[in-house]
mmCIF file of all heavy atoms in Angstrom:
data_model
loop_
_atom_site.group_PDB
_atom_site.id
_atom_site.type_symbol
_atom_site.label_atom_id
_atom_site.label_comp_id
_atom_site.label_asym_id
_atom_site.label_seq_id
_atom_site.Cartn_x
_atom_site.Cartn_y
_atom_site.Cartn_z
ATOM 1 N N GLY Z 140 -81.794 -10.193 -68.978
ATOM 2 C CA GLY Z 140 -80.833 -10.052 -67.880
ATOM 3 C C GLY Z 140 -79.596 -10.895 -68.229
ATOM 4 O O GLY Z 140 -79.306 -11.403 -69.228
ATOM 5 N N ALA Z 141 -78.646 -10.813 -67.220
ATOM 6 C CA ALA Z 141 -77.281 -11.416 -67.402
ATOM 7 C C ALA Z 141 -76.795 -12.124 -66.199
ATOM 8 O O ALA Z 141 -77.320 -11.821 -65.044
ATOM 9 C CB ALA Z 141 -76.283 -10.348 -67.641
ATOM 10 N N LEU Z 142 -76.058 -13.202 -66.299
ATOM 11 C CA LEU Z 142 -75.484 -13.892 -65.280
ATOM 12 C C LEU Z 142 -74.077 -14.293 -65.707
ATOM 13 O O LEU Z 142 -73.795 -14.520 -66.844
ATOM 14 C CB LEU Z 142 -76.269 -15.151 -64.937
ATOM 15 C CG LEU Z 142 -77.529 -15.086 -64.148
ATOM 16 C CD1 LEU Z 142 -78.337 -16.444 -64.141
ATOM 17 C CD2 LEU Z 142 -77.360 -14.528 -62.663
ATOM 18 N N ARG Z 143 -73.188 -14.520 -64.770
ATOM 19 C CA ARG Z 143 -71.895 -15.032 -64.889
ATOM 20 C C ARG Z 143 -71.733 -16.323 -64.129
ATOM 21 O O ARG Z 143 -71.746 -16.300 -62.955
ATOM 22 C CB ARG Z 143 -70.722 -14.099 -64.583
ATOM 23 C CG ARG Z 143 -69.374 -14.573 -64.991
ATOM 24 C CD ARG Z 143 -68.241 -13.631 -64.469
ATOM 25 N NE ARG Z 143 -68.097 -13.701 -63.122
ATOM 26 C CZ ARG Z 143 -67.160 -13.162 -62.420
ATOM 27 N NH1 ARG Z 143 -66.180 -12.373 -63.032
ATOM 28 N NH2 ARG Z 143 -67.035 -13.155 -60.956
ATOM 29 N N LEU Z 144 -71.497 -17.303 -64.923
ATOM 30 C CA LEU Z 144 -71.341 -18.659 -64.237
ATOM 31 C C LEU Z 144 -69.739 -18.954 -63.997
ATOM 32 O O LEU Z 144 -69.062 -18.546 -64.878
ATOM 33 C CB LEU Z 144 -71.811 -19.890 -65.059
ATOM 34 C CG LEU Z 144 -73.331 -19.752 -65.410
ATOM 35 C CD1 LEU Z 144 -73.749 -20.913 -66.211
ATOM 36 C CD2 LEU Z 144 -74.228 -19.424 -64.233
ATOM 37 N N ALA Z 145 -69.396 -19.533 -63.092
ATOM 38 C CA ALA Z 145 -68.036 -20.012 -62.780
ATOM 39 C C ALA Z 145 -67.858 -21.525 -62.667
ATOM 40 O O ALA Z 145 -68.768 -22.165 -62.154
ATOM 41 C CB ALA Z 145 -67.486 -19.254 -61.543
ATOM 42 N N CYS Z 146 -66.716 -21.972 -63.016
ATOM 43 C CA CYS Z 146 -66.449 -23.345 -63.007
ATOM 44 C C CYS Z 146 -65.036 -23.527 -62.282
ATOM 45 O O CYS Z 146 -64.000 -23.195 -63.053
ATOM 46 C CB CYS Z 146 -66.506 -24.056 -64.324
ATOM 47 S SG CYS Z 146 -65.874 -25.758 -64.332
ATOM 48 N N ALA Z 147 -64.879 -23.856 -61.040
ATOM 49 C CA ALA Z 147 -63.563 -23.893 -60.376
ATOM 50 C C ALA Z 147 -63.064 -25.257 -60.498
ATOM 51 O O ALA Z 147 -63.767 -26.341 -60.125
ATOM 52 C CB ALA Z 147 -63.730 -23.509 -58.954
ATOM 53 N N ALA Z 148 -61.824 -25.492 -61.038
ATOM 54 C CA ALA Z 148 -61.146 -26.692 -61.133
ATOM 55 C C ALA Z 148 -60.147 -26.989 -60.111
ATOM 56 O O ALA Z 148 -59.374 -26.022 -59.632
ATOM 57 C CB ALA Z 148 -60.494 -26.791 -62.585
ATOM 58 N N SER Z 149 -60.106 -28.252 -59.641
ATOM 59 C CA SER Z 149 -59.077 -28.508 -58.669
ATOM 60 C C SER Z 149 -58.650 -30.013 -58.859
ATOM 61 O O SER Z 149 -59.392 -30.907 -59.411
ATOM 62 C CB SER Z 149 -59.649 -28.455 -57.244
ATOM 63 O OG SER Z 149 -60.753 -29.285 -56.946
ATOM 64 N N GLY Z 150 -57.475 -30.316 -58.474
ATOM 65 C CA GLY Z 150 -56.949 -31.680 -58.653
ATOM 66 C C GLY Z 150 -56.264 -31.967 -60.011
ATOM 67 O O GLY Z 150 -55.829 -33.085 -60.236
ATOM 68 N N PHE Z 151 -56.362 -31.055 -60.970
ATOM 69 C CA PHE Z 151 -55.815 -31.312 -62.248
ATOM 70 C C PHE Z 151 -55.475 -29.841 -62.833
ATOM 71 O O PHE Z 151 -56.014 -28.836 -62.403
ATOM 72 C CB PHE Z 151 -56.695 -32.042 -63.179
ATOM 73 C CG PHE Z 151 -57.852 -31.360 -63.645
ATOM 74 C CD1 PHE Z 151 -58.005 -30.873 -64.915
ATOM 75 C CD2 PHE Z 151 -58.912 -31.127 -62.751
ATOM 76 C CE1 PHE Z 151 -59.210 -30.231 -65.367
ATOM 77 C CE2 PHE Z 151 -60.192 -30.552 -63.172
ATOM 78 C CZ PHE Z 151 -60.190 -30.127 -64.537
ATOM 79 N N SER Z 152 -54.681 -29.868 -63.868
ATOM 80 C CA SER Z 152 -54.234 -28.635 -64.545
ATOM 81 C C SER Z 152 -55.247 -28.232 -65.697
ATOM 82 O O SER Z 152 -55.152 -28.719 -66.830
ATOM 83 C CB SER Z 152 -52.863 -28.721 -65.170
ATOM 84 O OG SER Z 152 -51.922 -28.996 -64.204
ATOM 85 N N SER Z 153 -56.320 -27.472 -65.293
ATOM 86 C CA SER Z 153 -57.321 -27.078 -66.335
ATOM 87 C C SER Z 153 -56.868 -26.366 -67.400
ATOM 88 O O SER Z 153 -57.462 -26.329 -68.491
ATOM 89 C CB SER Z 153 -58.404 -26.398 -65.570
ATOM 90 O OG SER Z 153 -57.970 -25.201 -65.014
ATOM 91 N N ARG Z 154 -55.669 -25.690 -67.353
ATOM 92 C CA ARG Z 154 -55.105 -24.922 -68.482
ATOM 93 C C ARG Z 154 -54.726 -25.842 -69.635
ATOM 94 O O ARG Z 154 -54.603 -25.333 -70.719
ATOM 95 C CB ARG Z 154 -53.911 -24.116 -68.033
ATOM 96 C CG ARG Z 154 -52.694 -24.954 -67.690
ATOM 97 C CD ARG Z 154 -51.592 -24.120 -67.035
ATOM 98 N NE ARG Z 154 -52.033 -23.670 -65.749
ATOM 99 C CZ ARG Z 154 -51.311 -22.715 -65.096
ATOM 100 N NH1 ARG Z 154 -50.220 -22.125 -65.627
ATOM 101 N NH2 ARG Z 154 -51.614 -22.244 -63.880
ATOM 102 N N ASN Z 155 -54.612 -27.110 -69.416
ATOM 103 C CA ASN Z 155 -54.298 -28.091 -70.500
ATOM 104 C C ASN Z 155 -55.496 -28.790 -71.006
ATOM 105 O O ASN Z 155 -55.286 -29.778 -71.757
ATOM 106 C CB ASN Z 155 -53.259 -29.105 -69.923
ATOM 107 C CG ASN Z 155 -52.026 -28.550 -69.438
ATOM 108 O OD1 ASN Z 155 -51.457 -27.541 -70.108
ATOM 109 N ND2 ASN Z 155 -51.455 -28.997 -68.377
ATOM 110 N N TYR Z 156 -56.667 -28.413 -70.657
ATOM 111 C CA TYR Z 156 -57.923 -29.076 -71.015
ATOM 112 C C TYR Z 156 -58.857 -28.126 -71.782
ATOM 113 O O TYR Z 156 -58.841 -26.913 -71.631
ATOM 114 C CB TYR Z 156 -58.686 -29.549 -69.738
ATOM 115 C CG TYR Z 156 -57.995 -30.750 -69.067
ATOM 116 C CD1 TYR Z 156 -56.853 -30.720 -68.369
ATOM 117 C CD2 TYR Z 156 -58.604 -31.945 -69.200
ATOM 118 C CE1 TYR Z 156 -56.330 -31.808 -67.803
ATOM 119 C CE2 TYR Z 156 -58.161 -33.095 -68.594
ATOM 120 C CZ TYR Z 156 -57.007 -33.068 -67.863
ATOM 121 O OH TYR Z 156 -56.452 -34.160 -67.199
ATOM 122 N N CYS Z 157 -59.546 -28.812 -72.676
ATOM 123 C CA CYS Z 157 -60.676 -28.089 -73.269
ATOM 124 C C CYS Z 157 -61.850 -28.118 -72.237
ATOM 125 O O CYS Z 157 -62.241 -29.214 -71.780
ATOM 126 C CB CYS Z 157 -61.165 -28.738 -74.514
ATOM 127 S SG CYS Z 157 -62.466 -27.870 -75.309
ATOM 128 N N ILE Z 158 -62.406 -26.888 -71.959
ATOM 129 C CA ILE Z 158 -63.544 -26.932 -70.908
ATOM 130 C C ILE Z 158 -64.732 -26.566 -71.824
ATOM 131 O O ILE Z 158 -64.725 -25.637 -72.465
ATOM 132 C CB ILE Z 158 -63.295 -25.891 -69.946
ATOM 133 C CG1 ILE Z 158 -62.015 -26.059 -69.233
ATOM 134 C CG2 ILE Z 158 -64.433 -25.843 -68.986
ATOM 135 C CD1 ILE Z 158 -61.887 -27.355 -68.448
ATOM 136 N N SER Z 159 -65.748 -27.390 -71.705
ATOM 137 C CA SER Z 159 -67.089 -27.297 -72.330
ATOM 138 C C SER Z 159 -68.150 -26.929 -71.325
ATOM 139 O O SER Z 159 -68.066 -27.396 -70.250
ATOM 140 C CB SER Z 159 -67.424 -28.542 -73.169
ATOM 141 O OG SER Z 159 -66.452 -28.752 -74.182
ATOM 142 N N TRP Z 160 -69.189 -26.228 -71.916
ATOM 143 C CA TRP Z 160 -70.339 -25.977 -71.093
ATOM 144 C C TRP Z 160 -71.519 -26.625 -71.808
ATOM 145 O O TRP Z 160 -71.670 -26.521 -73.015
ATOM 146 C CB TRP Z 160 -70.656 -24.405 -71.068
ATOM 147 C CG TRP Z 160 -69.594 -23.671 -70.203
ATOM 148 C CD1 TRP Z 160 -68.437 -22.966 -70.612
ATOM 149 C CD2 TRP Z 160 -69.759 -23.407 -68.823
ATOM 150 N NE1 TRP Z 160 -67.868 -22.471 -69.502
ATOM 151 C CE2 TRP Z 160 -68.584 -22.667 -68.454
ATOM 152 C CE3 TRP Z 160 -70.677 -23.766 -67.854
ATOM 153 C CZ2 TRP Z 160 -68.351 -22.291 -67.188
ATOM 154 C CZ3 TRP Z 160 -70.463 -23.322 -66.496
ATOM 155 C CH2 TRP Z 160 -69.290 -22.628 -66.159
ATOM 156 N N TYR Z 161 -72.327 -27.342 -71.016
ATOM 157 C CA TYR Z 161 -73.510 -27.975 -71.466
ATOM 158 C C TYR Z 161 -74.633 -27.446 -70.539
ATOM 159 O O TYR Z 161 -74.467 -27.014 -69.477
ATOM 160 C CB TYR Z 161 -73.423 -29.487 -71.351
ATOM 161 C CG TYR Z 161 -72.486 -30.056 -72.344
ATOM 162 C CD1 TYR Z 161 -71.091 -30.045 -72.150
ATOM 163 C CD2 TYR Z 161 -72.946 -30.724 -73.544
ATOM 164 C CE1 TYR Z 161 -70.294 -30.605 -73.046
ATOM 165 C CE2 TYR Z 161 -72.019 -31.320 -74.400
ATOM 166 C CZ TYR Z 161 -70.761 -31.333 -74.113
ATOM 167 O OH TYR Z 161 -69.804 -31.935 -75.130
ATOM 168 N N ARG Z 162 -75.817 -27.652 -71.119
ATOM 169 C CA ARG Z 162 -77.004 -27.387 -70.271
ATOM 170 C C ARG Z 162 -78.099 -28.393 -70.528
ATOM 171 O O ARG Z 162 -78.118 -28.989 -71.474
ATOM 172 C CB ARG Z 162 -77.648 -25.925 -70.607
ATOM 173 C CG ARG Z 162 -78.191 -25.822 -71.950
ATOM 174 C CD ARG Z 162 -78.501 -24.235 -72.255
ATOM 175 N NE ARG Z 162 -79.089 -24.230 -73.542
ATOM 176 C CZ ARG Z 162 -79.401 -22.954 -74.112
ATOM 177 N NH1 ARG Z 162 -79.015 -21.864 -73.346
ATOM 178 N NH2 ARG Z 162 -79.899 -22.924 -75.334
ATOM 179 N N GLN Z 163 -78.955 -28.510 -69.476
ATOM 180 C CA GLN Z 163 -80.020 -29.635 -69.600
ATOM 181 C C GLN Z 163 -81.333 -29.044 -68.897
ATOM 182 O O GLN Z 163 -81.235 -28.775 -67.725
ATOM 183 C CB GLN Z 163 -79.641 -30.891 -69.023
ATOM 184 C CG GLN Z 163 -80.629 -32.008 -69.180
ATOM 185 C CD GLN Z 163 -79.989 -33.370 -68.862
ATOM 186 O OE1 GLN Z 163 -79.030 -33.489 -68.011
ATOM 187 N NE2 GLN Z 163 -80.622 -34.418 -69.347
ATOM 188 N N ALA Z 164 -82.324 -28.936 -69.563
ATOM 189 C CA ALA Z 164 -83.604 -28.584 -69.025
ATOM 190 C C ALA Z 164 -84.355 -29.790 -68.565
ATOM 191 O O ALA Z 164 -84.038 -30.927 -69.107
ATOM 192 C CB ALA Z 164 -84.450 -27.715 -69.982
ATOM 193 N N PRO Z 165 -85.309 -29.647 -67.614
ATOM 194 C CA PRO Z 165 -86.098 -30.787 -67.218
ATOM 195 C C PRO Z 165 -86.720 -31.637 -68.491
ATOM 196 O O PRO Z 165 -87.321 -30.984 -69.290
ATOM 197 C CB PRO Z 165 -87.213 -30.320 -66.273
ATOM 198 C CG PRO Z 165 -86.568 -29.053 -65.766
ATOM 199 C CD PRO Z 165 -85.662 -28.453 -66.928
ATOM 200 N N SER Z 166 -86.611 -32.930 -68.450
ATOM 201 C CA SER Z 166 -87.090 -33.784 -69.487
ATOM 202 C C SER Z 166 -86.461 -33.584 -70.932
ATOM 203 O O SER Z 166 -86.935 -34.230 -71.900
ATOM 204 C CB SER Z 166 -88.686 -33.638 -69.664
ATOM 205 O OG SER Z 166 -89.289 -33.848 -68.404
ATOM 206 N N ASN Z 167 -85.313 -32.795 -70.906
ATOM 207 C CA ASN Z 167 -84.580 -32.591 -72.150
ATOM 208 C C ASN Z 167 -83.292 -33.327 -72.077
ATOM 209 O O ASN Z 167 -82.804 -33.571 -71.062
ATOM 210 C CB ASN Z 167 -84.419 -31.141 -72.469
ATOM 211 C CG ASN Z 167 -85.630 -30.454 -72.928
ATOM 212 O OD1 ASN Z 167 -86.808 -30.807 -72.539
ATOM 213 N ND2 ASN Z 167 -85.486 -29.504 -73.838
ATOM 214 N N GLU Z 168 -82.659 -33.629 -73.279
ATOM 215 C CA GLU Z 168 -81.333 -34.150 -73.358
ATOM 216 C C GLU Z 168 -80.340 -33.030 -73.156
ATOM 217 O O GLU Z 168 -80.656 -31.838 -73.396
ATOM 218 C CB GLU Z 168 -81.092 -34.882 -74.595
ATOM 219 C CG GLU Z 168 -81.153 -33.870 -75.839
ATOM 220 C CD GLU Z 168 -80.972 -34.675 -77.166
ATOM 221 O OE1 GLU Z 168 -81.246 -35.895 -77.202
ATOM 222 O OE2 GLU Z 168 -80.547 -34.067 -78.172
ATOM 223 N N ARG Z 169 -79.103 -33.424 -72.694
ATOM 224 C CA ARG Z 169 -78.154 -32.458 -72.567
ATOM 225 C C ARG Z 169 -77.657 -31.841 -73.826
ATOM 226 O O ARG Z 169 -77.370 -32.562 -74.774
ATOM 227 C CB ARG Z 169 -76.863 -33.150 -71.740
ATOM 228 C CG ARG Z 169 -75.875 -32.126 -71.317
ATOM 229 C CD ARG Z 169 -74.935 -32.769 -70.308
ATOM 230 N NE ARG Z 169 -75.645 -33.065 -69.017
ATOM 231 C CZ ARG Z 169 -74.919 -33.516 -67.948
ATOM 232 N NH1 ARG Z 169 -73.689 -33.767 -67.972
ATOM 233 N NH2 ARG Z 169 -75.664 -33.801 -66.856
ATOM 234 N N GLU Z 170 -77.510 -30.465 -73.861
ATOM 235 C CA GLU Z 170 -77.218 -29.731 -75.024
ATOM 236 C C GLU Z 170 -75.813 -29.024 -74.795
ATOM 237 O O GLU Z 170 -75.610 -28.342 -73.798
ATOM 238 C CB GLU Z 170 -78.322 -28.671 -75.283
ATOM 239 C CG GLU Z 170 -77.973 -27.737 -76.372
ATOM 240 C CD GLU Z 170 -79.073 -26.546 -76.488
ATOM 241 O OE1 GLU Z 170 -79.729 -26.415 -75.401
ATOM 242 O OE2 GLU Z 170 -79.201 -25.954 -77.454
ATOM 243 N N TRP Z 171 -75.012 -29.169 -75.857
ATOM 244 C CA TRP Z 171 -73.699 -28.399 -75.816
ATOM 245 C C TRP Z 171 -73.997 -26.915 -75.979
ATOM 246 O O TRP Z 171 -74.731 -26.484 -76.875
ATOM 247 C CB TRP Z 171 -72.783 -29.000 -76.965
ATOM 248 C CG TRP Z 171 -71.436 -28.082 -77.027
ATOM 249 C CD1 TRP Z 171 -70.437 -28.102 -76.196
ATOM 250 C CD2 TRP Z 171 -71.228 -27.178 -78.084
ATOM 251 N NE1 TRP Z 171 -69.581 -27.159 -76.604
ATOM 252 C CE2 TRP Z 171 -70.040 -26.633 -77.811
ATOM 253 C CE3 TRP Z 171 -71.891 -26.811 -79.330
ATOM 254 C CZ2 TRP Z 171 -69.360 -25.639 -78.641
ATOM 255 C CZ3 TRP Z 171 -71.383 -25.866 -80.122
ATOM 256 C CH2 TRP Z 171 -70.084 -25.286 -79.766
ATOM 257 N N VAL Z 172 -73.231 -26.055 -75.330
ATOM 258 C CA VAL Z 172 -73.351 -24.638 -75.362
ATOM 259 C C VAL Z 172 -72.232 -23.942 -75.879
ATOM 260 O O VAL Z 172 -72.237 -23.068 -76.730
ATOM 261 C CB VAL Z 172 -73.814 -24.133 -73.940
ATOM 262 C CG1 VAL Z 172 -73.814 -22.540 -73.947
ATOM 263 C CG2 VAL Z 172 -75.023 -24.676 -73.514
ATOM 264 N N ALA Z 173 -71.020 -24.263 -75.297
ATOM 265 C CA ALA Z 173 -69.733 -23.563 -75.704
ATOM 266 C C ALA Z 173 -68.530 -24.306 -75.196
ATOM 267 O O ALA Z 173 -68.736 -25.156 -74.423
ATOM 268 C CB ALA Z 173 -69.748 -22.204 -75.026
ATOM 269 N N TYR Z 174 -67.466 -24.040 -75.779
ATOM 270 C CA TYR Z 174 -66.190 -24.525 -75.217
ATOM 271 C C TYR Z 174 -65.052 -23.469 -75.420
ATOM 272 O O TYR Z 174 -65.059 -22.591 -76.185
ATOM 273 C CB TYR Z 174 -65.758 -25.916 -75.867
ATOM 274 C CG TYR Z 174 -65.286 -25.850 -77.351
ATOM 275 C CD1 TYR Z 174 -63.998 -25.215 -77.766
ATOM 276 C CD2 TYR Z 174 -65.976 -26.585 -78.316
ATOM 277 C CE1 TYR Z 174 -63.684 -25.291 -79.072
ATOM 278 C CE2 TYR Z 174 -65.525 -26.623 -79.567
ATOM 279 C CZ TYR Z 174 -64.376 -25.919 -79.964
ATOM 280 O OH TYR Z 174 -64.021 -25.963 -81.300
ATOM 281 N N ILE Z 175 -63.987 -23.666 -74.596
ATOM 282 C CA ILE Z 175 -62.828 -22.855 -74.662
ATOM 283 C C ILE Z 175 -61.664 -23.782 -74.628
ATOM 284 O O ILE Z 175 -61.489 -24.627 -73.759
ATOM 285 C CB ILE Z 175 -62.711 -21.753 -73.512
ATOM 286 C CG1 ILE Z 175 -61.439 -20.925 -73.632
ATOM 287 C CG2 ILE Z 175 -62.900 -22.513 -72.129
ATOM 288 C CD1 ILE Z 175 -61.482 -19.749 -72.756
ATOM 289 N N ARG Z 176 -60.662 -23.743 -75.692
ATOM 290 C CA ARG Z 176 -59.551 -24.560 -75.737
ATOM 291 C C ARG Z 176 -58.346 -24.016 -74.857
ATOM 292 O O ARG Z 176 -58.422 -22.867 -74.403
ATOM 293 C CB ARG Z 176 -59.123 -24.521 -77.288
ATOM 294 C CG ARG Z 176 -59.649 -25.546 -78.013
ATOM 295 C CD ARG Z 176 -59.258 -25.634 -79.474
ATOM 296 N NE ARG Z 176 -58.417 -24.699 -79.961
ATOM 297 C CZ ARG Z 176 -58.205 -24.418 -81.356
ATOM 298 N NH1 ARG Z 176 -59.007 -25.068 -82.272
ATOM 299 N NH2 ARG Z 176 -57.370 -23.521 -81.663
ATOM 300 N N PRO Z 177 -57.335 -24.798 -74.729
ATOM 301 C CA PRO Z 177 -56.159 -24.346 -73.936
ATOM 302 C C PRO Z 177 -55.510 -23.112 -74.456
ATOM 303 O O PRO Z 177 -54.886 -22.325 -73.752
ATOM 304 C CB PRO Z 177 -55.138 -25.491 -74.052
ATOM 305 C CG PRO Z 177 -55.994 -26.752 -74.133
ATOM 306 C CD PRO Z 177 -57.229 -26.271 -74.944
ATOM 307 N N ASP Z 178 -55.678 -22.785 -75.843
ATOM 308 C CA ASP Z 178 -55.162 -21.558 -76.436
ATOM 309 C C ASP Z 178 -56.136 -20.525 -76.388
ATOM 310 O O ASP Z 178 -55.898 -19.453 -76.995
ATOM 311 C CB ASP Z 178 -54.689 -21.872 -77.834
ATOM 312 C CG ASP Z 178 -55.774 -22.192 -78.839
ATOM 313 O OD1 ASP Z 178 -56.988 -22.512 -78.386
ATOM 314 O OD2 ASP Z 178 -55.576 -22.179 -79.985
ATOM 315 N N ASP Z 179 -57.260 -20.624 -75.701
ATOM 316 C CA ASP Z 179 -58.367 -19.666 -75.477
ATOM 317 C C ASP Z 179 -59.230 -19.461 -76.732
ATOM 318 O O ASP Z 179 -60.148 -18.563 -76.757
ATOM 319 C CB ASP Z 179 -57.818 -18.379 -75.068
ATOM 320 C CG ASP Z 179 -57.379 -18.343 -73.576
ATOM 321 O OD1 ASP Z 179 -57.705 -19.223 -72.883
ATOM 322 O OD2 ASP Z 179 -56.595 -17.382 -73.240
ATOM 323 N N PHE Z 180 -59.086 -20.375 -77.739
ATOM 324 C CA PHE Z 180 -60.060 -20.319 -78.826
ATOM 325 C C PHE Z 180 -61.482 -20.788 -78.398
ATOM 326 O O PHE Z 180 -61.448 -21.708 -77.563
ATOM 327 C CB PHE Z 180 -59.557 -21.235 -79.934
ATOM 328 C CG PHE Z 180 -60.485 -21.361 -81.032
ATOM 329 C CD1 PHE Z 180 -60.445 -20.445 -82.104
ATOM 330 C CD2 PHE Z 180 -61.335 -22.486 -81.121
ATOM 331 C CE1 PHE Z 180 -61.424 -20.574 -83.190
ATOM 332 C CE2 PHE Z 180 -62.267 -22.552 -82.306
ATOM 333 C CZ PHE Z 180 -62.290 -21.703 -83.257
ATOM 334 N N THR Z 181 -62.466 -20.149 -78.853
ATOM 335 C CA THR Z 181 -63.828 -20.485 -78.272
ATOM 336 C C THR Z 181 -64.793 -20.721 -79.314
ATOM 337 O O THR Z 181 -64.592 -20.217 -80.509
ATOM 338 C CB THR Z 181 -64.365 -19.306 -77.440
ATOM 339 O OG1 THR Z 181 -64.386 -18.044 -78.191
ATOM 340 C CG2 THR Z 181 -63.586 -19.080 -76.142
ATOM 341 N N ARG Z 182 -65.811 -21.578 -79.154
ATOM 342 C CA ARG Z 182 -66.759 -21.791 -80.152
ATOM 343 C C ARG Z 182 -68.069 -21.821 -79.251
ATOM 344 O O ARG Z 182 -68.204 -22.160 -78.168
ATOM 345 C CB ARG Z 182 -66.573 -23.092 -80.872
ATOM 346 C CG ARG Z 182 -65.566 -23.059 -81.987
ATOM 347 C CD ARG Z 182 -65.729 -24.316 -82.853
ATOM 348 N NE ARG Z 182 -66.971 -24.448 -83.503
ATOM 349 C CZ ARG Z 182 -67.454 -25.594 -84.038
ATOM 350 N NH1 ARG Z 182 -66.693 -26.652 -84.057
ATOM 351 N NH2 ARG Z 182 -68.689 -25.509 -84.632
ATOM 352 N N TYR Z 183 -69.238 -21.533 -80.045
ATOM 353 C CA TYR Z 183 -70.579 -21.389 -79.414
ATOM 354 C C TYR Z 183 -71.560 -22.080 -80.218
ATOM 355 O O TYR Z 183 -71.541 -22.002 -81.444
ATOM 356 C CB TYR Z 183 -70.919 -19.907 -79.109
ATOM 357 C CG TYR Z 183 -69.890 -19.203 -78.292
ATOM 358 C CD1 TYR Z 183 -68.848 -18.522 -78.907
ATOM 359 C CD2 TYR Z 183 -69.943 -19.207 -76.970
ATOM 360 C CE1 TYR Z 183 -67.913 -17.861 -78.161
ATOM 361 C CE2 TYR Z 183 -68.981 -18.566 -76.142
ATOM 362 C CZ TYR Z 183 -68.016 -17.883 -76.835
ATOM 363 O OH TYR Z 183 -66.989 -17.273 -76.034
ATOM 364 N N ALA Z 184 -72.630 -22.660 -79.547
ATOM 365 C CA ALA Z 184 -73.723 -23.126 -80.272
ATOM 366 C C ALA Z 184 -74.561 -21.900 -80.828
ATOM 367 O O ALA Z 184 -74.462 -20.761 -80.400
ATOM 368 C CB ALA Z 184 -74.765 -23.785 -79.293
#
């Protein structure tokens, strides 16, 4: 299946930030998933 997650930013200019996605399962350490740069360049695990 599929899902779309959203991350709404307020109080700062998110366009000037790198936004990263992480995930954490119970009893696991936090894992990096993806990021998007201010120029929209993306990378993925």
